[in-house]
Amino acid sequence: MALLDTDLSLARNSYYAATSPREPAFAPLQGDARCDVAIVGGGLSGLAAALDLRQRGFDVALLEAREIGSGASGRNGGQAIHGLACDQELIEFQLGATDARLVWDMSIEALDLLRERIKEHAIACEWRDGWLGVARTPGKARELLRSGERAEKRYGYRMQGLAAGELGHWIASPEFHGGLYDPRSGHLHPLKYTRGLARAAAAAGARLHEGSEVLVLEQGTQPILRTARGSLRASQVLLAGNVYLGALAPQLAPRIMPVGTYIACSEVLPEALADSLIPSRSAVCDNNFVLDYFRTTDDNRMLYGGRVSYSTRTPGRLAESMRQRMVLTFPQLEGRHIEYAWGGFVDITMNRAPDFGRLGEQRNIYYLQGYSGHGLALSGLAGRLVAEAMAGDASRFDVFAQLGHRNFPGGTRLRTPALVLGMAWYRLRDMLA
Ligand SMILES: Cc1cc2nc3c(=O)[nH]c(=O)nc-3n(C[C@H](O)[C@H](O)[C@H](O)COP(=O)(O)OP(=O)(O)OC[C@H]3O[C@@H](n4cnc5c(N)ncnc54)[C@H](O)[C@@H]3O)c2cc1C
């Protein structure tokens, strides 16, 4: 897991780590054990599957290399948004109208499921309703409004389109030319939510082990996962390791690319100032291909995300460069300090569609990856789809598993230059729109 060292120190600098009390650790796996389902990865995908599988009566054990939530799940922007990372047109093109409708509906179900789990398991994670999409050019505003009209026409999903003149009530920024408001999407404190989901899974009887990196996966009718201190034999396996799986599943690695994205969090602002920046307190993101995403927190800070990097190194002067982006959007924040800056890796696929499927001759090794930066809500539903499939009804899982994916061209060594070229093209397209 070569990504881990710099990655973990980045996560520890996060506002989320500073504001979530550390809970008692889950003990590492020791010795040889058995279970019905073994899960690799203690992020939202793995935990959601663990909880759902336990609720269906499976004996479940989950192995997490580091700490629960130490991957993307505990450090993301906290924005739970309808749809997928890719355009819905791509899904329609690949799957046809009927299955594309199922995918859209499942993306909305994912939002409802997130709210249900928060309520059912009493997870204190600062959930707030509301998401606002905004556009930085008139062309991008037309694109955004068209996407809202399309969602309503094709899927009956209603959002409120906002013309440039109406935006002042929604966001105190000179930067934007149009908006789209969705009351059903929203935002939360992702590390508090992820740890809450882990507590719920453990309370339901799932065996969770931290500090248990899976080093070897032996496929077969009863696959075996080996760690430094033990082994776990199971009838079925779920790989939910995001960009960190690497050599454990060499077939999967070329289909995703780890792309760094970064977040800065300001000092506490006066409440009236925080209220004035985004009066609805919604989560906000722009519709550029390389997007900025931001929101105010419960304790009145500006949490501002954006930038990308294609190497696994943390960009220099991270806090200052993020501060400059924040001030470009909100000039009122000039002079305000950044107290936390961190980042993580999103698992981008070539077409930005999620990549779910099965491996092995027995087809008893499931995987979930490729959320492409849009996995906060969807990972929760994906865990449920895996549980349904393992329990015998794969119909909904297979709707996603049909999506076609290609390896990044040039293999592992050339993946980065190919992606940089692709991103440069999209950036240019954003500037010209
Ligand atoms: C900075 C950032 C901002 C983001 N913002 C948003 C957002 O606002 N909205 C949104 O929808 N999405 C966002 N995302 C994406 C979202 O966070 C992810 O899609 C989602 O959390 C994926 O969850 P996961 O469980 O699949 O992966 P992860 O949370 O990364 O969990 C994978 C886990 O597997 C473990 N693991 C890997 N290999 C092994 C092994 N061999 N043995 C044991 N354990 C292993 C890792 O240690 C890790 O904890 C963001 C991501 C980042 C990084």
Side-chain angles (χ1 to χ4, degrees):
M1 292 175 102
L3 286 176
L4 288 192
D5 297 341
T6 50
D7 185 47
L8 194 53
S9 60
L10 252 191
R12 293 211 166 108
N13 293 334
S14 86
Y15 163 73
Y16 302 132
T19 52
S20 313
R22 178 77 180 112
E23 310 196 354
F26 295 100
L29 178 73
Q30 298 273 10
D32 301 326
R34 303 178 71 101
C35 59
D36 297 331
V37 181
I39 298 174
V40 181
L44 289 170
S45 301
L47 292 166
L51 176 61
D52 223 281
L53 283 158
R54 272 305 301 145
Q55 288 168 337
R56 287 161 207 267
F58 286 86
D59 176 19
V60 181
L62 180 150
L63 303 179
E64 163 53 48
R66 303 177 286 181
E67 295 164 8
I68 294 293
S70 56
S73 298
R75 53 171 109 174
N76 59 57
Q79 305 204 4
I81 312 169
H82 62 266
L84 307 178
C86 61
D87 288 339
Q88 183 64 13
E89 284 94 322
L90 173 92
I91 307 295
E92 291 166 3
F93 176 73
Q94 279 209 18
L95 303 187
T98 306
D99 280 357
R101 158 126 231 157
L102 289 175
V103 167
W104 175 268
D105 287 347
M106 285 194 268
S107 87
I108 307 306
E109 182 185 335
L111 295 172
D112 296 341
L113 182 60
L114 185 60
R115 280 191 180 80
E116 266 168 43
R117 284 184 174 140
I118 291 171
K119 197 163 165 219
E120 185 183 342
H121 303 289
I123 303 176
C125 60
E126 301 167 22
W127 172 264
R128 277 183 192 255
D129 292 335
W131 172 85
L132 180 66
V134 288
R136 288 186 187 267
T137 66
K140 297 296 280 182
R142 283 191 293 277
E143 216 176 87
L144 186 64
L145 292 172
R146 264 200 308 273
S147 71
E149 286 159 12
R150 195 171 189 283
E152 180 160 2
K153 203 161 147 214
R154 290 187 82 91
Y155 300 112
Y157 192 75
R158 295 198 68 169
M159 292 181 271
Q160 184 180 348
L162 302 166
E166 297 170 278
L167 266 185
H169 301 295
W170 291 85
I171 185 161
S173 169
E175 275 284 295
F176 302 112
H177 294 261
L180 192 63
Y181 176 67
D182 176 13
R184 206 148 161 188
S185 298
H187 59 102
L188 49 63
H189 186 305
L191 186 55
K192 287 187 179 175
Y193 177 65
T194 305
R195 287 184 177 168
L197 201 61
R199 269 196 311 276
R207 287 176 273 154
L208 308 185
H209 299 283
E210 295 177 305
S212 301
E213 180 179 357
V214 178
L215 302 168
V216 176
L217 163 61
E218 291 173 18
Q219 301 190 10
T221 47
Q222 292 276 304
I224 301 176
L225 306 178
R226 296 194 187 280
T227 69
R229 296 195 231 169
S231 74
L232 189 58
R233 181 188 292 269
S235 305
Q236 307 192 80
V237 170
L238 169 61
L239 300 177
N242 198 348
V243 294
Y244 308 102
L245 274 183
L248 201 63
Q251 314 89 313
L252 298 182
R255 297 158 72 105
I256 52 169
M257 168 83 191
V259 173
T261 169
Y262 302 93
I263 303 181
C265 188
S266 76
E267 65 188 48
V268 173
L269 307 172
E271 188 167 356
L273 175 58
D275 277 337
S276 71
L277 298 173
I278 308 169
S280 63
R281 293 285 192 149
S282 304
V284 186
C285 69
D286 70 34
N287 66 336
N288 281 353
F289 191 74
V290 178
L291 49 82
D292 281 8
Y293 47 98
F294 44 90
R295 61 194 179 89
T296 48
T297 59
D298 263 20
D299 62 351
N300 299 314
R301 297 167 188 269
M302 173 56 65
L303 192 143
Y304 200 96
R307 286 199 66 165
V308 289
S309 102
Y310 311 104
S311 82
T312 53
R313 278 195 303 274
T314 308
R317 300 175 64 246
L318 177 61
E320 176 52 21
S321 69
M322 294 305 296
R323 192 193 67 79
Q324 287 171 9
R325 285 180 95 103
M326 176 181 85
V327 169
L328 186 72
T329 299
F330 295 110
Q332 310 85 313
L333 296 182
E334 184 63 71
R336 299 288 174 178
H337 296 294
I338 295 297
E339 287 192 355
Y340 305 93
W342 68 99
F345 297 102
V346 292
D347 45 349
I348 300 271
T349 56
M350 278 284 278
N351 60 11
R352 309 294 183 269
D355 181 15
F356 303 165
R358 299 176 190 78
L359 298 176
E361 269 176 33
Q362 325 288 333
R363 313 304 280 164
N364 55 357
I365 297 172
Y366 289 70
Y367 65 87
L368 297 172
Q369 65 173 14
Y371 297 102
S372 303
H374 199 104
L376 174 54
L378 189 63
S379 54
L381 183 82
R384 171 159 291 178
L385 300 185
V386 169
E388 287 172 3
M390 288 183 173
D393 178 4
S395 54
R396 302 202 316 152
F397 182 83
D398 283 339
V399 172
F400 277 96
Q402 303 169 68
L403 283 166
H405 288 280
R406 282 191 293 142
N407 289 353
F408 277 89
T412 316
R413 263 184 330 115
L414 290 176
R415 270 191 295 167
T416 304
L419 191 80
V420 172
L421 270 177
M423 288 290 200
W425 153 246
Y426 280 109
R427 276 219 182 97
L428 186 67
R429 220 179 59 159
D430 283 343
M431 284 187 312
L432 298 176

